[in-house]
């Protein structure tokens, strides 16, 4: 194909989340409601952790970082999706597509690492409670958070330039509701097998590192809990870890399908459903899971609420 047909700077067209336009109004209302709840819940979580001294602990510091990531994550894709659902123009510029790819790669990569580090925090709290203030001091917490953000941004800086330098020609219609790499690469007019293999290896490594930390941490936690003679101590340990395990299962399950499962098992419709789940639903579920199942957070919320009422 001639180089004249290869346009590296033209806009892309996002085909959106749904094919059936009859249900657009209902879907728009549902997604908008989820977006409002997700942003509000995460901002409230960040606010409570900042203002309540009882929540100035390593676990809640890492949880505040998760809420920041979730807020940025859902704001990367959903506002554009909502605008496209009510407008005729569904285009996204080449630069805008690259920015969207970088931001979602950074957020999802940072969450991968942060969830692994949160498992380490739970391991120290359950297995080494006497040394917890030393092993998880402020400096360590800060370094862990920086490490998570750095790991995610490294993924974005590595994969985004390669994706955007692939030649695209012919159709500019992305069968997705945002610029996710697998959907964008389907429009490439060059052989991308080498890059796809590189991306596959990169994603597997980014999953393996935190999963290894999580598996090791919870294996040691289970051994410690098994040795506990106190039923109250066992219950407290399980309560402390159950919220984190729930979030890990949801987030990593969706990521495994998208980035590790071979493309032969994928269809564009399934990809959009799974992507909608981890980019729209998960950022809403995370703060709700941690707040509704956590007495400290609910106590801080009730305290602030009573102050506002009085």
């Amino acid at each position: 194909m001639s180089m004249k047909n290869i346009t590296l700077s033209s806009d892309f067209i996002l085909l959106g989340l749904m094919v059936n336009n009859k249900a657009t109004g209902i879907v728009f209302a549902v997604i908008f409601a989820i977006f409002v709840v997700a942003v509000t819940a995460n901002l409230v979580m960040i606010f409570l952790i900042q203002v309540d001294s009882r929540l100035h602990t390593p676990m809640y510091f890492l949880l505040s970082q998760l809420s920041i990531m979730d807020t940025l994550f859902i704001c990367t894709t959903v506002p554009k999706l909502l605008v496209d659902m009510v407008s005729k123009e569904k285009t996204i510029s080449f630069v805008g597509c690259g920015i969207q790819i970088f931001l979602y790669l950074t957020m999802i990569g940072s969450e991968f690492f942060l969830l692994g580090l949160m498992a380490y925090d739970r391991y120290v709290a359950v297995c080494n409670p006497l040394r917890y203030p030393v092993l998880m001091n402020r400096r360590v917490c800060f370094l862990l958070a920086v490490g998570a953000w750095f790991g995610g941004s490294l993924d974005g800086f590595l994969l985004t330039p390669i994706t955007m330098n692939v030649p695209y020609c012919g159709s500019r219609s992305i069968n997705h509701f945002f610029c996710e790499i697998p959907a964008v690469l389907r429009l490439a007019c060059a052989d991308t097998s080498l890059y796809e293999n590189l991306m596959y290896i990169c994603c597997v490594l980014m999953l393996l590192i935190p999963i290894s930390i999580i598996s090791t941490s919870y294996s040691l936690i289970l051994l410690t809990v098994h040795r506990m003679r106190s039923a109250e101590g066992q219950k407290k340990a399980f309560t402390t870890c159950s919220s984190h395990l729930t979030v890990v299962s949801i987030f990593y399950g969706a990521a495994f399908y998208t980035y590790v499962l071979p493309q032969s098992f994928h269809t564009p419709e399934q990809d959009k459903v799974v992507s909608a789940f981890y980019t729209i639903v998960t950022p809403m579920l995370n703060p709700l899971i941690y707040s509704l199942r956590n007495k400290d957070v609910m106590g801080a919320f009730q305290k602030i609420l009573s102050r506002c009422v009085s």
Side-chain angles (χ1 to χ4, degrees), residues 20-254:
N20 185 7
N21 293 325
K22 293 180 180 179
T24 300
I26 298 173
V27 175
F28 177 90
V30 171
I31 294 175
F32 180 75
I34 292 173
F35 176 73
V36 171
V37 171
V39 173
T40 303
N42 280 294
L43 291 179
V44 168
M45 182 72 76
I46 295 167
F47 174 73
L48 291 176
I49 293 171
Q50 287 295 319
V51 300
D52 196 303
S53 58
R54 293 175 300 176
L55 303 182
H56 292 173
T57 63
M59 182 180 79
Y60 292 110
F61 171 75
L62 295 176
L63 185 55
S64 69
Q65 297 300 305
L66 180 65
S67 291
I68 293 171
M69 292 174 186
D70 279 335
T71 304
L72 295 174
F73 195 20
I74 197 169
C75 289
T76 299
T77 58
V78 173
K80 174 62 178 170
L81 169 62
L82 293 173
V83 170
D84 287 346
M85 292 180 75
V86 296
S87 65
K88 294 181 180 180
E89 293 290 332
K90 302 181 187 298
T91 59
I92 183 170
S93 67
F94 187 81
V95 174
C97 189
I99 293 172
Q100 198 174 61
I101 288 174
F102 172 76
L103 288 175
Y104 96 79
L105 282 176
T106 299
M107 293 305 111
I108 195 173
S110 299
E111 285 205 32
F112 283 161
F113 289 116
L114 186 67
L115 289 172
L117 296 173
M118 289 173 74
Y120 171 74
D121 170 71
R122 294 299 82 211
Y123 154 72
V124 178
V126 174
C127 300
N128 295 286
L130 297 179
R131 298 181 63 196
Y132 184 75
V134 177
L135 295 176
M136 292 297 295
N137 58 51
R138 272 190 187 181
R139 183 171 177 274
V140 171
C141 291
F142 177 76
L143 291 175
L144 291 178
V146 170
W149 282 101
F150 175 77
S153 61
L154 190 65
D155 187 38
F157 280 117
L158 176 65
L159 297 180
T160 304
I162 302 175
T163 304
M164 303 316 292
N165 278 295
V166 171
Y168 297 100
C169 49
S171 174
R172 310 293 293 185
S173 300
I174 301 173
N175 190 10
H176 215 302
F177 62 92
F178 74 102
C179 290
E180 192 168 29
I181 290 179
V184 174
L185 287 180
R186 292 191 185 103
L187 306 182
C189 57
D191 183 16
T192 60
S193 57
L194 180 62
Y195 172 49
E196 288 178 9
N197 290 332
L198 172 66
M199 185 177 68
Y200 180 82
I201 294 170
C202 180
C203 292
V204 168
L205 287 174
M206 288 198 67
L207 280 169
L208 278 178
I209 293 172
I211 284 176
S212 299
I213 297 172
I214 292 169
S215 302
T216 303
S217 298
Y218 279 107
S219 297
L220 295 172
I221 287 172
L222 285 174
L223 286 173
T224 303
V225 171
H226 179 69
R227 293 170 186 165
M228 288 181 179
R229 295 181 180 180
S230 169
E232 185 65 26
Q234 290 180 338
K235 182 181 178 181
K236 185 177 180 181
F238 278 122
T239 303
T240 303
C241 301
S242 59
S243 297
H244 181 254
L245 279 175
T246 304
V247 171
V248 165
S249 301
I250 294 171
F251 193 72
Y252 279 75

